[in-house]
Amino acid sequence: MLTRKICHNGSRYIRTSIYISKRSIQNIGEIEVFEDKTRLSAHKKKLEQRPPFLKNLFVGKFDYEFMTFPQPQSSERYKQFFEWIKPLENYVASVNSSEMSTKEAFQKLKELDILRAKIDAKYDGLNMSEAETLKILETLGSIPWLATSLIKNNIIPIDLISKFGNEAQKENYLPRIGNGELLPTICITEVMSGPNMKNIETEISLSDCGNFWIMNGRKEFVANGANSNLFLVIAQSEEKNFSSNLSLSGFIVESNYGGITCSNIIHTIGQQEVHVCTVDFKDTHIPKENILGEMGNGNVILSNVYAPGNNRVAGEAIGILRHFLSLLNKNILGRKHLDKCMHEFEAVQEVVGLTTCSLYCMESVALFTSATDDLYENQDLELEKAVTETYCANECIKRIYEGMQVIGIESYMKDNPYMQIYNDALGLSLFDGSAIDEKIYIALLGLQYVGINIHEDIIKARNHLLNPIHFLKQIFSKRKINLYLFEYAHLSFKMACTLIEQCLQTLVDISTMLLEIYGTEISSKQIILQKLADITIQLYVTIAVVARASRSYCTGIRNAEQERFIAMYVAQQAFKKVELLKDNIINNELIQHERTLGKVSESAFQHKGYMCEHPLKRNC
């Protein structure tokens, strides 16, 4: 049956639906498959690549272009996109997520055209930009498990196939993912490997006839694996003619290839419909052409999956915190404490104010990063993405916990949503890795860039006796950064711009100092690296916030005065935090801290737990 629904708005927006008969889909039940074709106007033409913004801050270079908060959409596409997303917003606002299954949810997402959002128009997709995808995930954030499922079982697999797959693979799989026929997932982790690519044991070998790959192995912690019917698998080759650095490769495996079983299904404490499971491959025959990209690019795929910033949790974090703030306000406004309206207490106002500021910061930094990706061709944003995800995930968790202290015992009741929201938020940080690793990654990436750009000066600084002239120059001609950033923002943000420059000065000085003192050994100074990452995060977030607030104030956006208050507060707090972090590093408090805690932890490890005697115990 062919049905056409045409919603005409000038010549800009056309929606066409083509319904196809039911087809059986293994593991995800029978779902009515149809193509819902929507076309929005073209994206803005991308601008020429600019130097990496955040990396350049480590060496004191500031690209003034980024003081203008980016607007990635044309006016026409902006109107079309927000018209397109209204049905999704209405659906999320009306649905009872506790009574909805993954199958029902993905059926609805398919009807709303969400499954095709990240697919290129060439393969029957909507080709949504990074900023538009962020907005979709924000909208779904009030149903966290649905946002997570979309990321794990749609967006990330689509990204991998789009980036590494050949033309035939894209034409075969992307339209089928977009119309709901295929539900993909990624199979990487093994019992003994974790993110270590050297320990992957799943093996692939070429059949005697040379037409198939034969896969044997086990993958753990596969997201929604029991519901999936397409697996993107990393395996190592046992062929002798492959060198060790070419042994890992990616493969596209359909569930009907045989020898695939899912077991040990484990549900998480949050994200109610999200599970992880074990997937076994036993003599699974894979067509030879189903290698993902080229032979030996498995380590590149792994790096793409595991790199902090590629998990797309920022949008979901914003959606979760916005939903929690709404519930928190309703709870506070409906209560009294000590015969006084609860919202009149300063302590309560502080929690709500901090949560609102954090939400503003999260929105600003997430859109700042994603819009930059949309505007510039092949822009280097690996550091910006890592900072954005780390900040948004951790800030979301922290603010929800503080809000639960205000709510009190109600937040601990099983039938209330607050604890569920908190558990959902924990998944942002815990599901894919460790915040410790992310911060170390941020710091090392920045220091690596410093080393590349000023390595000669660092070598001279580490050898004063051989370079006395350079040593004297360091003493008498310390470089001071004066960028006059206030000239690129509204005049009322002059103080905030000055604070940004002072934070930037600290980042440059500390980065250079650490390389001069420790050299390549800095990679082992993890506590210091975490502090350096915190400085980087505070600086980048503040820049995004001031740029956004300045634009709002200049253009007269509603409540722009409140944005100005938030931006000034964020800049002041960032400066205080950066100064404290700088003092900790320079005064060697961290070194003593590291030694003390190192001794304590070593004793705890030896005793396999707490080693101190109970205070009631006596020696006599």
Side-chain angles (χ1 to χ4, degrees):
M1 180 179 69
L2 178 63
T3 303
R4 293 181 181 272
K5 299 177 183 176
I6 301 179
C7 302
H8 189 64
N9 183 5
S11 58
R12 300 177 302 181
Y13 183 71
I14 299 177
R15 183 181 180 92
T16 305
S17 298
I18 303 175
Y19 293 87
I20 303 174
S21 60
K22 286 187 178 181
R23 66 201 310 171
S24 176
I25 303 175
Q26 186 176 351
N27 294 329
I28 59 174
E30 293 184 353
I31 294 180
E32 184 182 359
V33 178
F34 64 93
E35 299 175 5
D36 191 4
K37 297 184 178 179
T38 302
R39 293 290 181 267
L40 305 182
S41 61
H43 291 292
K44 284 182 179 180
K45 184 178 179 181
K46 287 199 173 188
L47 303 175
E48 186 178 345
Q49 182 187 41
R50 301 190 72 84
F53 174 67
L54 187 49
K55 287 180 179 178
N56 264 340
L57 295 184
F58 277 80
V59 293
K61 296 178 182 178
F62 195 103
D63 189 342
Y64 296 104
E65 185 75 18
F66 291 93
M67 279 301 290
T68 302
F69 197 79
Q71 297 185 139
Q73 294 173 311
S74 64
S75 297
E76 185 178 29
R77 188 175 177 98
Y78 165 80
K79 295 176 183 178
Q80 294 170 4
F81 174 75
F82 278 92
E83 180 184 348
W84 173 85
I85 204 172
K86 276 182 183 178
L88 177 64
E89 293 174 333
N90 295 336
Y91 169 69
V92 170
S94 62
V95 72
N96 185 348
S97 60
S98 62
E99 298 177 357
M100 180 172 49
S101 68
T102 303
K103 173 187 169 183
E104 294 169 341
F106 267 78
Q107 176 70 41
K108 191 62 181 180
L109 291 184
K110 180 184 59 178
E111 294 172 5
L112 294 172
D113 251 352
I114 305 302
L115 299 184
R116 297 197 300 124
K118 280 300 291 177
I119 298 174
D120 192 281
K122 181 179 179 182
Y123 309 106
D124 202 25
L126 298 180
N127 196 26
M128 291 293 178
S129 67
E130 291 297 317
E132 291 164 348
T133 304
L134 178 72
K135 175 60 179 174
I136 293 171
L137 292 174
E138 284 181 30
T139 305
L140 291 173
S142 56
I143 310 177
W145 66 263
L146 186 52
T148 297
S149 295
L150 185 69
I151 294 169
K152 301 293 183 186
N153 302 113
N154 183 266
I155 294 177
I156 293 180
I158 287 173
D159 283 347
L160 292 179
I161 294 175
S162 299
K163 184 173 183 178
F164 297 103
N166 56 40
E167 191 64 25
Q169 291 167 348
K170 294 175 186 178
E171 291 178 352
N172 182 20
Y173 290 108
L174 292 180
R176 295 164 66 193
I177 294 173
N179 67 22
E181 178 183 344
L182 295 177
L183 186 69
T185 192
I186 299 173
C187 302
I188 293 178
T189 307
E190 299 184 7
V191 175
M192 300 302 294
S193 70
N196 189 345
M197 62 184 69
K198 294 181 179 179
N199 294 332
I200 288 180
E201 296 180 352
T202 299
E203 290 187 344
I204 198 85
S205 60
L206 200 59
S207 64
D208 294 337
C209 65
N211 296 325
F212 296 94
W213 297 102
I214 302 175
M215 179 177 289
N216 285 281
R218 169 175 289 184
K219 296 293 184 180
E220 304 283 350
F221 303 112
V222 179
N224 290 327
N227 296 331
S228 301
N229 56 2
L230 184 69
F231 305 92
L232 306 185
V233 188
I234 299 295
Q236 68 167 338
S237 172
E238 60 179 17
E239 302 298 315
K240 296 180 180 179
N241 58 329
F242 291 125
S243 60
S244 58
N245 63 329
L246 292 178
S247 62
L248 287 179
S249 302
F251 297 87
I252 303 175
V253 185
E254 297 185 36
S255 59
N256 58 10
Y257 288 167
I260 302 174
T261 56
C262 297
S263 60
N264 194 29
I265 297 175
I266 303 173
H267 289 274
T268 56
I269 60 171
Q271 312 274 351
Q272 63 185 36
E273 285 294 320
V274 176
H275 68 261
V276 295
C277 70
T278 300
V279 178
D280 288 286
F281 300 91
K282 178 66 174 177
D283 293 331
T284 301
H285 284 59
I286 306 167
K288 190 176 181 180
E289 62 271 15
N290 273 36
I291 185 169
L292 184 58
E294 298 178 354
M295 192 69 185
N297 69 343
N299 54 349
V300 180
I301 297 174
L302 280 172
S303 300
N304 190 274
V305 172
Y306 280 122
N310 290 342
N311 295 317
R312 297 181 175 275
V313 301
E316 183 179 351
I318 293 168
I320 291 175
L321 189 58
R322 184 184 288 120
H323 179 55
F324 178 78
L325 181 59
S326 176
L327 295 176
L328 178 64
N329 273 280
K330 290 179 182 178
N331 181 281
I332 291 172
L333 292 172
R335 291 172 59 191
K336 285 193 174 184
H337 185 65
L338 300 178
D339 294 327
K340 186 178 179 181
C341 291
M342 197 165 187
H343 69 270
E344 296 176 357
F345 283 83
E346 283 189 0
V348 174
Q349 292 172 358
E350 181 184 40
V351 171
V352 174
L354 287 172
T355 303
T356 303
C357 288
S358 291
L359 186 55
Y360 185 85
C361 291
M362 291 161 63
E363 286 181 336
S364 302
V365 72
L367 187 58
F368 190 83
T369 301
S370 59
T372 301
D373 199 7
D374 293 333
L375 285 176
Y376 299 101
E377 193 73 42
N378 299 321
Q379 185 69 17
D380 182 354
L381 291 170
E382 59 179 337
L383 190 51
E384 286 88 340
K385 289 180 179 179
V387 166
T388 298
E389 278 201 0
T390 302
Y391 176 80
C392 288
N394 294 335
E395 203 70 9
C396 178
I397 296 168
K398 180 169 70 174
R399 296 309 175 199
I400 291 175
Y401 180 78
E402 292 173 353
M404 289 172 64
Q405 306 304 307
V406 173
I407 295 170
I409 191 171
E410 284 186 52
S411 66
Y412 200 59
M413 298 292 102
K414 187 174 182 180
D415 293 334
N416 288 333
Y418 310 108
M419 185 59 73
Q420 179 63 47
I421 293 174
Y422 182 65
N423 288 335
D424 291 338
L426 285 175
L428 301 172
S429 178
L430 303 179
F431 203 99
D432 292 296
S434 166
I436 295 175
D437 293 338
E438 291 169 353
K439 287 189 175 182
I440 293 173
Y441 175 86
I442 290 168
L444 288 177
L445 208 57
L447 290 175
Q448 180 188 52
Y449 192 78
V450 175
I452 292 172
N453 281 269
I454 60 170
H455 62 278
E456 293 183 0
D457 290 340
I458 292 173
I459 291 173
K460 291 177 181 178
R462 287 175 59 82
N463 296 274
H464 293 318
L465 295 178
L466 298 178
N467 300 279
I469 297 177
H470 180 80
F471 176 66
L472 292 174
K473 284 182 178 180
Q474 278 188 308
I475 296 176
F476 296 109
S477 61
K478 184 178 179 181
R479 180 187 174 193
K480 180 173 175 57
I481 296 174
N482 198 345
L483 301 172
Y484 303 100
L485 290 181
F486 65 89
E487 296 182 358
Y488 298 86
H490 190 276
L491 188 59
S492 60
F493 294 91
K494 184 175 181 179
M495 178 58 70
C497 291
T498 301
L499 295 174
I500 288 174
E501 291 184 25
Q502 293 178 12
C503 292
L504 177 58
Q505 181 78 60
T506 298
L507 177 65
V508 173
D509 293 344
I510 294 296
S511 300
T512 305
M513 182 196 75
L514 292 177
L515 288 178
E516 289 176 354
I517 294 175
Y518 297 108
T520 56
E521 293 180 1
I522 186 62
S523 60
S524 64
K525 306 298 179 180
Q526 297 172 359
I527 297 176
I528 292 178
L529 290 174
Q530 289 182 62
K531 300 300 180 183
L532 179 62
D534 286 332
I535 293 175
T536 307
I537 291 169
Q538 291 297 324
L539 175 59
Y540 183 61
V541 171
T542 305
I543 292 170
V545 166
V546 171
R548 175 188 174 185
S550 177
R551 184 201 66 177
S552 298
Y553 207 71
C554 290
T555 58
I557 288 180
R558 186 179 61 174
N559 296 324
E561 184 69 16
Q562 299 301 320
E563 294 190 39
R564 187 176 72 85
F565 292 150
I566 292 174
M568 294 302 299
Y569 175 80
V570 168
Q572 292 167 0
Q573 294 302 309
F575 174 72
K576 291 178 182 178
K577 292 174 183 176
V578 168
E579 286 296 296
L580 179 61
L581 292 165
K582 179 183 75 173
D583 292 341
N584 285 340
I585 296 174
I586 291 178
N587 296 332
N588 290 324
E589 291 178 12
L590 286 173
I591 296 176
Q592 185 63 38
H593 169 82
E594 181 183 24
R595 290 171 181 168
T596 302
L597 294 186
K599 293 178 181 178
V600 173
S601 63
E602 184 178 348
S603 179
F605 292 141
Q606 289 176 352
H607 288 81
K608 298 182 180 179
Y610 185 62
M611 63 286 186
C612 298
E613 295 292 344
H614 192 278
L616 288 177
K617 190 168 184 178
R618 298 184 180 184
N619 220 7
C620 54

